[in-house]
């Protein structure tokens, strides 16, 4: 059962130790669900990322002198909270960045370690680059649409001002032509 203050809701761990052959092989897997993830302050903005509860998985394989490990951390409940201790008025650029970032609803972080035990390589992947890029395109599109609408309204106003005397003259000529006919 989950208690209100629990750090995680469930944990499942499995393992395999095989030292019967010429090369030992060990596999350990741990899966945690409902992991309470810490809030992360953003250094450049007065915001905090609050991932809520998420999942974490760890798989470690030692095959002779070769290691292969993968750790994932996921949250679909990412919320963005104002950091009242650092509250201030944002610049236009900071406001745009905040609009982009606060539209990111989730994150997925994966760290992989592989290679010989004496010199493994580490790779870290995240969905944030793709999600932020998509949000940036969406926000930029909104800004372009807003600018286009503003420009269109301004052009329409100028055209209407310049066309009004011509329309009035055409109306006069039409009335005059109708009277004569």
């Amino acid at each position: 059962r989950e208690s209100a203050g629990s750090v995680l809701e469930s944990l499942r761990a499995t393992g395999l130790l095989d030292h019967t052959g010429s090369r030992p092989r060990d596999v350990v897997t741990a899966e945690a669900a409902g992991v309470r993830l810490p809030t992360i302050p953003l250094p450049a903005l007065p915001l905090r990322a609050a991932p809520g509860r998420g999942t974490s998985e760890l798989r470690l394989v030692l095959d002779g002198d070769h290691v292969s490990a993968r750790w994932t951390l996921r949250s679909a409940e990412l919320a963005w909270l104002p950091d009242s201790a650092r509250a201030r008025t944002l610049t236009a650029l900071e406001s745009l960045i905040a609009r982009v970032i606060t539209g990111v609803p989730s994150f997925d972080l994966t760290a992989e370690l592989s290679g010989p035990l004496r010199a493994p390589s580490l790779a870290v992947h995240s969905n944030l680059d793709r999600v932020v890029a998509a949000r940036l395109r969406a926000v930029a599109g909104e800004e372009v649409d807003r600018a286009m609408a503003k420009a269109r309204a301004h052009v329409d106003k100028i055209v209407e001002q310049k066309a009004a005397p011509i329309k009035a003259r055409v109306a006069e000529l039409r009335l005059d032509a109708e009277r004569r006919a």
Side-chain angles (χ1 to χ4, degrees):
R1 276 192 210 162
E2 173 192 351
S3 67
S6 68
V7 174
L8 69 112
E9 294 169 1
S10 67
L11 176 65
R12 179 179 167 216
T14 60
L16 167 75
L17 302 175
D18 182 359
H19 292 237
T20 59
S22 62
R23 199 163 104 185
R25 179 172 166 82
D26 302 327
V27 180
V28 175
T29 303
E31 300 170 357
V35 178
R36 189 173 340 123
L37 303 171
T39 300
I40 304 161
L42 295 182
L45 296 171
L47 292 172
R48 293 178 291 130
R53 289 195 179 262
T55 61
S56 182
E57 298 172 18
L58 174 66
R59 179 175 171 82
L60 174 65
V61 178
L62 289 174
D63 193 355
D65 68 344
H66 188 271
V67 64
S68 175
R70 179 182 181 108
W71 175 61
T72 61
L73 188 60
R74 294 183 179 102
S75 172
E77 303 175 4
L78 188 57
W80 299 92
L81 308 173
D83 189 342
S84 57
R86 299 184 307 138
R88 60 183 170 75
T89 302
L90 301 179
T91 66
L93 181 59
E94 288 172 332
S95 293
L96 181 64
I97 293 168
R99 263 181 66 200
V100 168
I101 290 174
T102 57
V104 175
S106 64
F107 79 89
D108 185 339
L109 176 70
T110 301
E112 296 176 305
L113 186 71
S114 63
L117 277 172
R118 66 186 176 288
S121 61
L122 174 66
V124 179
H125 312 280
S126 172
N127 71 322
L128 292 180
D129 58 343
R130 293 179 308 277
V131 174
V132 167
R135 281 289 304 146
L136 188 55
R137 283 190 296 274
V139 169
E142 292 167 6
E143 289 300 314
V144 167
D145 289 346
R146 186 176 296 126
M148 290 291 287
K150 188 175 180 181
R152 207 173 290 120
H154 186 68
V155 167
D156 289 348
K157 181 179 175 184
I158 291 171
V159 167
E160 183 60 36
Q161 288 173 346
K162 299 296 182 184
I166 296 169
K167 287 179 182 178
R169 180 68 180 137
V170 167
E172 284 177 24
L173 292 172
R174 185 178 294 139
L175 274 174
D176 188 43
E178 287 174 3
R179 273 188 245 142
R180 287 183 189 182

